[in-house]
Amino acid sequence: MVMAEPEETPRSQRPLAGGCAVAGDPSQPAAATPRRLTVWCKSLVFRGDGYTVFDDADGRMVFRVDNYGVGPGSMALMDHAGRVLLTVRRRQRKMLSLMPETWEVYNGDVDDDSNSNDGHGEPHLMMRATKDLGRSNCTASVHAVDEPQLYRLSWSRREEFSRIYRHSSTGDETLIAEVRRKRGGPEKATLLGKDVLSLVVQPGMDLAITMAMLMISNSYR
């Protein structure tokens, strides 16, 4: 597959659903219908852990995720050209601690040692997700300009799915993304390998933030 050279774009921020922003992603046009993506749970880097994500509409790469062999505690979510959009970090609980495990998602490339954000000031925390003790759920708060947007990440090992729900101010929940084992074949009746997933994202939801949530829920599933 031959990809055109990406155009050089200035360091800018585009709107994110809910009022916050994430580094510009040219792969994400406005959509009036759900986006369907194929998530391959493999890194493109030798001895790395990560994901490679393709758009079902045209087969092009949308995202790639790598930890560059340094362990699952920190991963970089990049666009097709290798620009880091988000850094996803796992904060492990201390031994015998009753505090729940948390995840932090930062805008751009955040260095593990210096906490720098590409040398442009303090890291910008985009999202924090907290594991619900004793349940197959995480509660995620996406930071916004006006007020945080709350989401619930749910998963099932037995039924092999992950779902993301958005909380409304009235307490209602709306399903905004779902991932399952991908099916192939003429009638889509054949389950593909466990490392090949199908992700459906509803209109208006940021794809990069959704992928970060999927990475978090998939770590438990």
Side-chain angles (χ1 to χ4, degrees):
M1 179 173 63
V2 179
M3 293 188 297
E5 289 293 326
E7 296 181 2
E8 185 174 350
T9 55
R11 182 178 298 274
S12 61
Q13 301 215 323
R14 69 181 163 77
L16 175 69
C20 41
V22 68
D25 174 19
S27 67
Q28 189 167 231
T33 58
R35 292 286 295 273
R36 298 181 180 275
L37 307 172
T38 294
V39 180
W40 185 38
C41 302
K42 294 290 184 181
S43 167
L44 296 181
V45 177
F46 181 64
R47 291 185 177 177
D49 291 322
Y51 302 84
T52 310
V53 185
F54 302 92
D55 193 328
D56 285 5
D58 53 19
R60 64 194 174 100
M61 184 191 300
V62 181
F63 300 122
R64 52 181 285 247
V65 177
D66 287 301
N67 71 344
Y68 295 101
V70 298
S74 181
M75 305 187 83
L77 172 63
M78 296 168 277
D79 65 10
H80 70 286
R83 291 183 289 260
V84 178
L85 304 177
L86 299 171
T87 300
V88 181
R89 286 181 174 177
R90 186 176 198 164
R91 298 298 188 188
Q92 299 280 5
R93 287 185 299 169
K94 295 181 179 180
M95 187 175 296
L96 302 180
S97 172
L98 297 179
M99 296 295 293
E101 186 173 73
T102 61
W103 294 76
E104 294 175 348
V105 179
Y106 294 90
N107 192 14
D109 190 4
V110 176
D111 183 84
D112 285 339
D113 296 325
S114 64
N115 269 350
S116 64
N117 191 2
D118 289 336
H120 290 76
E122 291 298 317
H124 182 192
L125 181 66
M126 297 291 301
M127 180 178 76
R128 178 177 282 113
T130 303
K131 174 73 170 62
D132 297 338
L133 293 175
R135 301 178 60 193
S136 297
N137 288 291
C138 270
T139 300
S141 176
V142 177
H143 295 252
V145 174
D146 45 6
E147 61 181 18
Q149 294 288 316
L150 296 179
Y151 297 84
R152 181 171 65 88
L153 288 57
S154 177
W155 57 86
S156 170
R157 291 190 183 94
R158 183 173 61 85
E159 298 183 26
E160 297 183 306
F161 72 77
S162 295
R163 294 181 181 133
I164 302 171
Y165 299 88
R166 179 164 48 212
H167 286 282
S168 71
S169 58
T170 62
D172 296 329
E173 287 188 334
T174 302
L175 179 66
I176 52 92
E178 182 173 18
V179 65
R180 287 184 175 272
R181 289 265 303 276
K182 190 173 181 67
R183 293 181 177 270
E187 299 181 359
K188 305 294 183 183
T190 304
L191 275 176
L192 302 183
K194 290 189 175 183
D195 59 352
V196 184
L197 309 176
S198 179
L199 172 62
V200 179
V201 184
Q202 296 302 315
M205 184 60 192
D206 184 271
L207 291 184
I209 287 290
T210 302
M211 187 61 202
M213 292 183 184
L214 167 62
M215 292 158 57
I216 294 170
S217 64
N218 207 46
S219 70
Y220 295 109
R221 191 169 66 86

